[in-house]
Amino acid sequence: MTDTGGPGIPVLYVNGHVATQKYWRHVITELGPGFRHITYDMRARGKSGTSADYSFETNVADVDAVLAARNVERALVIGWSYGAFVAAHWASRNPDRTVGTVLVEGAQPHDWIDEVDIEGMRKLWRRLGWLMPMMRAVGLGARMSADQMADSNIEAGEIARERVLGPVMDAITVPTRYVNASGSSLGSKGDEQERIRASLDKVVERNPNIEIHAKVPSNHGNILRKDFRTVAEAVRVVAELDRTPR
């Protein structure tokens, strides 16, 4: 965990599924010392140890644990990919503790899990097992078994279902901005990723607190590296909308 401290609005960064806190370095540098930057690694990712529980609900609860450890009452929460789902759920449940949210290429209600070969997904993670040590060395992968990774991936698909995630997004009452990528991502086929992004049109129509800040040229995997300025801009927009005295 890292915490730059200072009097600025605390920004909590929630990582992608197998990513680490280092992915946010460009965004943090762009935002500068006017914000208080707090990063951490989810269980079994980066510098965090292993656990008996890697469930989505545990990852949401860990947001509370991180903020409590840093004595932070309210924060602006930003998440990328899997982290965007975590951020959206936490914000919907804790409006009084949330300055706002920025959701980068995630938390898009869509039943993509129905198009996935579940057994094929499990086999893919097993085939990737030998690569995990090398992936971890470059900030990817996790100290989880292939079956645990597959279960987590499948759980994410269930959480993304429109009937599950839609009500979560409808319940958000704080300023929320999406930053979407373009094109495909690792594992997606054809126009699948664009169809997933298109689901946000209904989200924005139903909830006036949520807007799409930008759609950038980079893809899902390199958005934090190539379009960090736009992501940082979305954070500034959300921060400026906060009217709660600090």
Side-chain angles (χ1 to χ4, degrees):
M1 185 187 306
T2 67
D3 181 356
T4 61
I9 290 177
V11 181
L12 179 71
Y13 298 84
V14 191
N15 307 324
H17 193 206
V18 294
T20 66
Q21 54 193 308
K22 74 176 187 178
Y23 277 67
W24 296 105
R25 63 188 183 278
H26 297 303
V27 177
I28 291 171
T29 299
E30 178 68 16
L31 285 171
F35 292 86
R36 176 181 175 181
H37 307 282
I38 302 171
T39 68
Y40 71 104
D41 291 321
M42 288 189 289
R43 300 176 185 219
R45 282 84 154 178
K47 297 180 180 179
S48 292
T50 55
S51 170
D53 186 356
Y54 299 110
S55 68
F56 180 79
E57 282 299 322
T58 295
N59 285 318
V60 175
D62 282 346
V63 172
D64 287 304
V66 171
L67 293 179
R70 305 314 306 161
N71 295 313
V72 172
E73 290 296 324
R74 294 180 73 244
L76 192 160
V77 184
I78 176 172
W80 166 56
S81 193
Y82 182 92
F85 288 85
V86 174
H89 270 259
W90 192 84
S92 72
R93 303 175 195 182
N94 300 276
D96 294 340
R97 301 188 61 202
T98 311
V99 171
T101 60
V102 174
L103 308 175
V104 184
E105 267 291 280
Q108 302 145 329
H110 187 79
D111 295 353
W112 57 262
I113 192 68
D114 292 338
E115 302 174 23
V116 172
D117 174 4
I118 299 298
E119 187 53 37
M121 180 186 288
R122 293 188 184 281
K123 289 178 180 178
L124 175 61
W125 280 111
R126 289 167 187 155
R127 287 199 299 270
L128 290 173
W130 69 276
L131 277 173
M132 285 300 165
M134 288 181 285
M135 293 174 69
R136 287 195 292 271
V138 296
L140 292 170
R143 289 183 300 281
M144 299 162 65
S145 70
D147 286 338
Q148 287 172 329
M149 290 299 298
D151 287 342
S152 182
N153 205 168
I154 294 165
E155 183 187 35
E158 295 294 342
I159 290 163
R161 285 188 182 280
E162 200 286 328
R163 68 172 184 270
V164 177
L165 185 58
V168 174
M169 304 313 299
D170 292 346
I172 288 180
T173 58
V174 297
T176 297
R177 297 295 182 268
Y178 277 97
V179 179
N180 295 325
S182 299
S184 61
S185 65
L186 181 65
S188 67
K189 299 177 181 178
D191 66 346
E192 178 186 29
Q193 203 70 37
E194 289 298 334
R195 288 188 285 112
I196 292 173
R197 295 177 186 121
S199 68
L200 296 179
D201 291 341
K202 294 180 179 178
V203 172
V204 172
E205 287 175 6
R206 294 195 304 259
N207 191 336
N209 299 300
I210 302 175
E211 295 182 14
I212 297 175
H213 178 76
K215 181 179 175 68
V216 297
S218 54
N219 65 27
H220 182 92
N222 61 28
I223 188 170
L224 296 182
R225 178 168 54 87
K226 291 191 173 183
D227 282 297
F228 61 89
R229 292 184 179 87
T230 303
V231 175
E233 180 183 74
V235 172
R236 293 190 188 100
V237 167
V238 170
E240 289 172 2
L241 291 171
D242 183 38
R243 296 293 180 263
T244 302
R246 288 183 287 117

